[in-house]
Amino acid sequence: MERPELSIAVQRTADEAVVTLVGEIDMLTAARLSSTVNELLIDPPARIVLDLAGVTFCDSQGLGTLVVLSRKASHSRSPLILTNVGDFLLRVLDITGLRSALMVRNEQSAG
Protein backbone atom coordinates (compact mmCIF):
# COMPACT_ATOMS: atom_id res chain seq x y z
CA MET A 1 0.00 0.00 0.00
CA GLU A 2 1.33 3.40 -0.95
CA ARG A 3 1.86 5.82 1.90
CA PRO A 4 -0.37 8.91 1.65
CA GLU A 5 1.51 12.13 1.33
CA LEU A 6 0.70 15.69 2.31
CA SER A 7 2.69 18.58 0.94
CA ILE A 8 2.62 21.66 3.17
CA ALA A 9 3.86 25.07 2.00
CA VAL A 10 3.67 28.19 4.17
CA GLN A 11 3.73 31.73 2.85
CA ARG A 12 3.67 34.42 5.52
CA THR A 13 2.94 38.11 4.98
CA ALA A 14 2.38 40.95 7.45
CA ASP A 15 -1.35 40.19 7.59
CA GLU A 16 -1.66 36.44 7.27
CA ALA A 17 -0.07 33.07 6.89
CA VAL A 18 -1.28 31.00 3.95
CA VAL A 19 -0.77 27.26 4.34
CA THR A 20 -1.19 25.46 1.03
CA LEU A 21 -1.98 21.77 1.38
CA VAL A 22 -1.72 19.17 -1.38
CA GLY A 23 -2.58 15.53 -0.82
CA GLU A 24 -4.33 13.65 1.96
CA ILE A 25 -5.13 14.77 5.51
CA ASP A 26 -5.43 11.58 7.53
CA MET A 27 -4.05 9.79 10.58
CA LEU A 28 -0.61 9.60 8.98
CA THR A 29 -0.35 13.27 7.97
CA ALA A 30 -2.54 15.21 10.44
CA ALA A 31 0.30 15.55 12.98
CA ARG A 32 2.44 17.40 10.42
CA LEU A 33 -0.40 19.82 9.74
CA SER A 34 -0.85 20.36 13.50
CA SER A 35 2.86 21.04 13.95
CA THR A 36 2.86 23.57 11.12
CA VAL A 37 -0.10 25.52 12.50
CA ASN A 38 1.18 25.31 16.09
CA GLU A 39 4.50 26.81 14.97
CA LEU A 40 2.62 29.70 13.33
CA LEU A 41 0.69 30.28 16.56
CA ILE A 42 3.93 30.92 18.49
CA ASP A 43 3.86 34.37 16.87
CA PRO A 44 0.25 34.49 15.62
CA PRO A 45 -0.54 36.30 12.37
CA ALA A 46 -3.81 38.25 12.03
CA ARG A 47 -5.25 35.14 10.35
CA ILE A 48 -4.21 31.73 9.12
CA VAL A 49 -5.59 30.60 5.78
CA LEU A 50 -5.57 26.90 4.90
CA ASP A 51 -5.76 26.56 1.13
CA LEU A 52 -7.33 23.14 0.58
CA ALA A 53 -7.56 23.25 -3.23
CA GLY A 54 -5.09 20.37 -3.54
CA VAL A 55 -6.55 18.18 -0.79
CA THR A 56 -7.78 14.90 -2.25
CA PHE A 57 -8.85 13.11 0.94
CA CYS A 58 -9.63 13.91 4.57
CA ASP A 59 -10.55 11.25 7.13
CA SER A 60 -12.03 11.61 10.63
CA GLN A 61 -8.57 12.26 12.10
CA GLY A 62 -8.08 15.07 9.57
CA LEU A 63 -11.48 16.58 10.37
CA GLY A 64 -10.77 16.44 14.09
CA THR A 65 -7.40 18.09 13.51
CA LEU A 66 -9.02 20.95 11.57
CA VAL A 67 -11.50 21.56 14.41
CA VAL A 68 -8.80 21.45 17.12
CA LEU A 69 -6.54 23.79 15.14
CA SER A 70 -9.43 26.17 14.54
CA ARG A 71 -10.10 26.35 18.29
CA LYS A 72 -6.41 26.84 19.12
CA ALA A 73 -6.13 29.60 16.53
CA SER A 74 -9.25 31.32 17.91
CA HIS A 75 -7.75 31.26 21.41
CA SER A 76 -4.68 32.96 19.94
CA ARG A 77 -6.94 35.58 18.29
CA SER A 78 -5.79 34.36 14.90
CA PRO A 79 -8.79 32.92 13.05
CA LEU A 80 -8.20 29.81 10.96
CA ILE A 81 -9.94 30.13 7.60
CA LEU A 82 -10.41 27.26 5.15
CA THR A 83 -10.39 28.27 1.48
CA ASN A 84 -10.85 26.39 -1.79
CA VAL A 85 -12.61 23.57 0.04
CA GLY A 86 -13.55 20.84 -2.44
CA ASP A 87 -17.11 19.63 -2.90
CA PHE A 88 -16.37 16.26 -1.30
CA LEU A 89 -15.01 17.91 1.85
CA LEU A 90 -17.88 20.41 2.01
CA ARG A 91 -20.31 17.46 1.90
CA VAL A 92 -18.42 15.71 4.69
CA LEU A 93 -18.44 18.90 6.79
CA ASP A 94 -22.19 19.26 6.22
CA ILE A 95 -22.95 15.60 7.00
CA THR A 96 -20.89 15.65 10.19
CA GLY A 97 -22.19 19.04 11.29
CA LEU A 98 -18.64 20.39 11.47
CA ARG A 99 -19.12 23.09 8.86
CA SER A 100 -20.57 25.39 11.51
CA ALA A 101 -17.47 24.82 13.70
CA LEU A 102 -15.09 25.95 10.95
CA MET A 103 -14.67 29.18 8.98
CA VAL A 104 -15.08 28.25 5.31
CA ARG A 105 -14.45 30.99 2.75
CA ASN A 106 -14.53 29.67 -0.79
CA GLU A 107 -14.90 33.07 -2.45
CA GLN A 108 -11.63 34.59 -3.57
CA SER A 109 -11.15 37.93 -1.86
CA ALA A 110 -10.28 40.91 -4.00
CA GLY A 111 -6.91 42.40 -3.18
Side-chain angles (χ1 to χ4, degrees):
M1 187 161 78
E2 218 179 286
R3 184 189 160 120
E5 290 295 326
L6 180 67
S7 155
I8 302 174
V10 178
Q11 184 174 13
R12 192 161 182 161
T13 65
D15 294 336
E16 65 185 12
V18 178
V19 181
T20 303
L21 304 174
V22 177
E24 300 182 3
I25 306 172
D26 60 17
M27 60 184 230
L28 298 175
T29 61
R32 286 184 43 232
L33 174 57
S34 289
S35 296
T36 300
V37 174
N38 287 329
E39 284 175 28
L40 289 171
L41 291 174
I42 292 170
D43 179 20
R47 68 182 165 267
I48 298 172
V49 178
L50 293 187
D51 185 341
L52 304 179
V55 172
T56 55
F57 177 79
C58 185
D59 70 2
S60 59
Q61 180 84 32
L63 292 173
T65 298
L66 292 174
V67 172
V68 168
L69 292 175
S70 180
R71 288 187 183 141
K72 280 186 177 180
S74 291
H75 289 302
S76 298
R77 300 183 190 277
S78 179
L80 183 80
I81 302 166
L82 308 183
T83 62
N84 299 317
V85 181
D87 289 341
F88 84 93
L89 188 49
L90 285 175
R91 276 197 304 276
V92 170
L93 293 175
D94 286 337
I95 290 167
T96 57
L98 292 176
R99 191 169 182 173
S100 61
L102 299 166
M103 292 179 68
V104 177
R105 301 281 182 272
N106 269 357
E107 313 75 43
Q108 290 296 335
S109 59

